[in-house]
Amino acid sequence: KRFSLAPNPPDWARAALKADGGHIVKDEPPIGWRGSPGSTLSAWAKPVNPTPPAVMLNRVIDGSLEVKIVAPPGARAMTLELRPTGKLTDATVNGRPAKILSEPGQWTRVYWQGAPEGVAIGFRAKGPGVIDTRYSTIADRWPVDAKPLAKMPAKVSGNAISGSTIVTGEQRFTW
């Protein structure tokens, strides 16, 4: 999909949304992005093959668990959302205590920028469990296998994600 988070996108942005023949519809923003209610627009686009982040569940030597996400080369920021189904304790972000993941069934959102080694969200669980993850990464470039964007007119100002690639996905981990 192609997205616009602008409440009233200019004609250039509308043309960019429809460049692959898709119809513009109201939509939810991509994972990790917020827009004004009802202001996000999207349109179907031909599939591209951007590199997703590496997302994994690891058991640490002390018996705790960690969900780690490493962005693909060129990504400037990541969002990781986690939702445990059971009670977790001793949560950490890259080994530092954090007051997150305390409520089963509730999403926790972590933003991460500028660290190519990624981020690890650690925790302890009493017994078997499940954690759902959703992620997004953003790279300041258009996908190489997508139809190129038309030149932005001089009177149009892009925003923080104009011409960027956002890769999203979901993964469920069990232990």
Side-chain angles (χ1 to χ4, degrees), residues 21-48:
H23 299 287
I24 297 175
V25 297
K26 288 191 177 200
D27 203 345
E28 294 295 316
I31 294 167
W33 294 91
R34 294 186 179 134
S36 300
S39 68
T40 301
L41 301 177
S42 73
W44 174 89
K46 291 179 183 170
V48 295

Side-chain angles (χ1 to χ4, degrees), residues 32-33 53 67-72 75-81 92-96 98 100 109-121 135-139:
W33 294 91
V67 174
K68 184 164 184 169
I69 181 170
V70 179
R76 71 168 159 91
M78 299 184 291
T79 301
L80 178 63
E81 297 178 346
T92 62
V93 176
N94 280 355
R96 295 192 172 164
I100 59 173
R109 180 179 292 163
V110 177
Y111 294 104
W112 201 251
Q113 285 187 267
E117 68 277 4
V119 62
I121 309 300
Y135 60 81
S136 69
T137 62
I138 184 165

Side-chain angles (χ1 to χ4, degrees), residues 14 22 49 68-69 72 77 82 128 132 135 142 148 151-152 159 162 175:
R14 289 179 171 279
N49 293 303
K68 184 164 184 169
I69 181 170
L82 307 103
D132 293 313
Y135 60 81
W142 195 245
K151 185 176 179 184
M152 190 179 295
N159 64 25
S162 293
W175 59 88

